[in-house]
Amino acid sequence: MTFNEDIEFMLSKFSHEIRNPLTTLYSTIQLIEMQHPEVKDFKHWSSLNYDIEYINQLLDELSNFAKSEKLNLTNIEMRPFLEHLSLSFAASIAQSEIEYTSKIDPYISKITVDKTKLQEVFLNLLKNAYDASLPKGKIFFTAHIVEKSLVVKVQDTGCGITKEQLPTIFQPFVTYKKNGTGLGLAIIDRLTKRMNGKITVESVYGEGSTFTVYLPQKLIDATPLGDFE
C-alpha cells in the first residue's frame, strides 16, 4: 500500500469500528424513549442526542475524507448539472430569510469530472454560506467561463473569516465554526485538487466570504463567453 492508501484504510476502519457501537447506543436510546417518554424532559437528554448526532456526522466526514482520493470520472453536461444543483439548493432554503441568487453561463458545455464528488463540493460550499449568513443574508452562486476555464463562485454576506484564520481553513481537523468537524473544507480542497482544479477564498471579517473553484482548461469543452457578463 502507498501512504495515502494506508491513511484511507486506517480512516475507513476507524469510522467502521466506531459506527457499530454508536448504532447500538443510538438504538438503545430510542428504545428507552419509547418505553419511558418522560426522559425527553430530562435536563441533559437532548444534549446526549445532539452529541451522538455530532459523532455520526464526524464519522461521515471521516469516511468522505478517506474516499476523496478515488474518482469516477465521466464527461457531463455542466450547465444542466449546475442549474439542477442550484434549484435544489434554492428549494432547500425556501423557508428561510436568506436571499439566494444564481447566474450560470449558458455557454458552459461538457467537462470531465467526478459528478458525485463535484456536487458534494458545491453543495457543501453553499451550505457553509447558508450557515454563515443566518438568520438573514445573501448568497450568490455564479458559474462562467474565463479564458476557457470553468470558474464557480459561492459568495455570502455572512460573518466572514479573520485574516489569522484564512491560512489554515483548508487544513484537516482545523475549524473555527461552532460544532464544526474541521473536515468539510479539507474534503472540498482535496476533491477539487484531485480533479486538477483549485479553490481559493477571499473574506472580510464581519462582511462575508467568496469561495472560488477553478476547473482546468484542458477538461473544458465550451464556447466563448458571449454576452454572459
Side-chain angles (χ1 to χ4, degrees), residues 80-147:
F81 166 77
L82 292 173
E83 288 175 344
H84 176 75
L85 182 147
S86 179
L87 286 172
S88 295
F89 175 74
S92 72
I93 64 169
Q95 301 303 314
S96 73
E97 296 184 77
I98 301 294
E99 180 182 329
Y100 175 68
T101 304
S102 66
K103 192 174 185 180
I104 299 171
D105 182 353
Y107 294 99
I108 297 174
S109 185
K110 292 182 179 180
I111 180 171
T112 303
V113 291
D114 185 313
K115 182 178 179 180
T116 301
K117 288 185 169 58
L118 189 62
Q119 178 170 306
E120 180 182 350
V121 167
F122 294 143
L123 285 180
N124 280 343
L125 287 176
L126 286 166
K127 184 180 182 301
N128 286 347
Y130 174 77
D131 291 341
S133 300
L134 290 173
K136 296 181 180 179
K138 297 179 180 180
I139 299 174
F140 304 92
F141 180 77
T142 62
H144 55 283
I145 300 297
V146 176
E147 297 179 354

Side-chain angles (χ1 to χ4, degrees), residues 152-222:
V152 178
K153 293 189 177 186
V154 177
Q155 180 181 4
D156 66 69
T157 59
C159 57
I161 305 166
T162 68
K163 290 181 179 180
E164 293 75 21
Q165 294 169 348
L166 277 174
T168 59
I169 62 170
F170 293 115
Q171 293 181 12
F173 305 106
V174 174
T175 182
Y176 303 101
K177 181 180 178 182
K178 184 179 179 180
N179 301 320
T181 63
L183 283 171
L185 287 175
I187 292 171
I188 290 171
D189 181 54
R190 195 177 189 191
L191 289 176
T192 304
K193 288 177 178 176
R194 289 287 293 131
M195 288 182 275
N196 296 320
K198 69 176 182 177
I199 181 170
T200 64
V201 58
E202 298 176 0
S203 187
V204 177
Y205 186 68
E207 296 184 16
S209 305
T210 301
F211 287 83
T212 306
V213 174
Y214 300 87
L215 292 170
Q217 178 180 353
K218 65 180 181 180
L219 297 182
I220 300 291
D221 173 19

Side-chain angles (χ1 to χ4, degrees), residues 61-74:
E61 295 201 359
L62 275 172
S63 180
N64 288 337
F65 187 74
K67 294 175 182 176
S68 61
E69 279 294 316
K70 296 180 179 179
L71 296 180
N72 179 26
L73 296 176
T74 55

